[in-house]
Amino acid sequence: MADTLPTSRVGTPDIYQDLRQRLTMGGFAPGQKLLPGPLKDEYGCSANTIREVLLRLSAAGLAQYEDQRGFRAQAASAQRKSDLTKFRILLEQEGATASIRRGGIEWEAQLTAAHHKLSHIEAEIDRRGMEPPVVRLWCTAEWEFHDALGAACGSPFLRQTFRAIFDQFRQQHVTEAGKYGFATGNVAEHRRIVDAALDRDEAACRAQIHAHLERNLLPDS
Amino acid sequence: MADTLPTSRVGTPDIYQDLRQRLTMGGFAPGQKLLPGPLKDEYGCSANTIREVLLRLSAAGLAQYEDQRGFRAQAASAQRKSDLTKFRILLEQEGATASIRRGGIEWEAQLTAAHHKLSHIEAEIDRRGMEPPVVRLWCTAEWEFHDALGAACGSPFLRQTFRAIFDQFRQQHVTEAGKYGFATGNVAEHRRIVDAALDRDEAACRAQIHAHLERNLLPDS
DNA sequence: TTGCAAGGAAATTTCAAAATTATCCGCATT
DNA sequence: AATGCGGATAATTTTGAAATTTCCTTGCAA
């Protein structure tokens, strides 16, 4: 007969994705404990399933795991953010320059499309401020833009590492003053990155990526 | 009273480390299934504990995980190896140049020590061939050398990513003709890398790192 | 002989509970 | 008053088994 249970019952992808989003969008305070007990009730599953999800999230760097001491949301610190930024700049520059060398017309199209979508949403935010429904749109749009930059780099490893770093980078920002890492200068900076990329100017593209992110670096670096 | 069980019984770090070593040193064929059933008997624990370890290993890239289809040792392919090499060259070059800029006398000492140890072992291998007990020594010595190169880069993220890539890189090589990624030219190449690093010559160091690894790249790259 | 379907065996995934371990709080001692 | 020791409580980790899914084999029909 037809199943009476509304639960999806296919692996644990829903729980993983939901917790990942909560971790990267401020659902938990930086050092907060992630208790399997309450979470299992919330998601209507066993503590072991929660544990499995948290284990994968800690492998992705979004949570911390200490043996016999459970899970915590990743801690936030200026040093961590700076290191994250430094590494992100490196990966994004490499991905962009490789894409400039290897990418064709379809890459340009994808990049232009992603930038168009992003700038539209950012204009909306400039007008009406950051409201929760728009913020989620902005998050995916900004990811898609920065992902499109390196989409033609030809290295799956570079891209998957960049994705992991990007998520952690955002996680560090979400905790700050509810700004979600959005600044008013972003619109112009994104445009300058796209222009340099479409001009196939590797050096300029590198410089613009650095300029876009350098405000997150500590002075010493 | 004193425990009668000889098992360590503290978390699962032993199982993780042991399986990690087996995966990076040829204990499993490339696409081989990693069955929780036999493994739980071998390690004397439950299938769920094995599952937890395999989950972490797949997050580290050493195993594959497909939903509802279990775990496999990571597959080997020329393309994967090439991409891995490309990314490793990038990370190792960045780590080395940053260390050259930031490292002090203690970094030089650590690097020299690691190289001395490695070259001693490699000389031993040149004389007596590659026997199992020596191979394990060589693996840790080669890791310690390449790790020492970037030890002063100041970026924990760069180093931990490099470690993950290095493991997967070795995993791709172990499956080939029992060579474990060792070639007779290595001794000289390692020396040239050290010399360039101690000379604080960033460009030369980059070039030597590339020369050391380029034989693993596919022509197109 | 080939293709397909159904049945059965094996493996994976989830669950609930037991066992182990850490954390917290009160009490005695210094 | 501060420190160290025990016991109670809570959380984590492991376990063994049930439920679900996949894979393989066998039989049937075209």
Side-chain angles (χ1 to χ4, degrees), chain B residues 68-120:
Chain B
Q68 302 285 43
R69 222 164 282 190
F71 299 89
R72 296 178 170 280
Q74 188 60 259
S77 74
Q79 202 176 356
R80 180 179 174 84
K81 187 167 77 173
S82 177
D83 185 20
L84 224 24
T85 303
K86 203 161 43 173
F87 199 36
R88 177 181 160 183
I89 290 175
L90 169 65
L91 295 179
E92 195 156 348
Q93 285 178 333
E94 287 299 318
T97 54
S99 288
I100 287 175
R101 272 198 285 273
R102 303 170 36 103
I105 184 71
E106 75 289 341
W107 170 65
E108 296 182 4
Q110 187 187 348
L111 181 58
T112 326
H115 176 257
H116 184 266
K117 194 164 142 192
L118 176 60
S119 62
H120 182 76

Side-chain angles (χ1 to χ4, degrees), chain B residues 144-196:
Chain B
E144 282 167 7
F145 170 70
H146 286 281
D147 181 49
L149 247 188
C153 72
S155 171
F157 280 104
L158 177 59
R159 292 189 71 188
Q160 84 185 37
T161 306
F162 179 64
R163 181 178 181 75
I165 295 295
F166 187 89
D167 281 346
Q168 294 181 66
F169 178 85
R170 170 154 304 151
Q171 186 186 38
Q172 291 291 308
H173 280 264
V174 173
T175 64
E176 293 178 357
K179 291 199 68 180
Y180 291 92
F182 179 81
T184 49
N186 279 8
V187 185
E189 289 171 10
H190 285 149
R191 164 142 296 284
R192 282 196 283 271
I193 293 175
V194 173
D195 288 344

Side-chain angles (χ1 to χ4, degrees), chain A residues 1-10:
Chain A
M1 66 174 68
D3 52 351
T4 55
L5 294 172
T7 58
S8 56
R9 270 290 162 274
V10 280

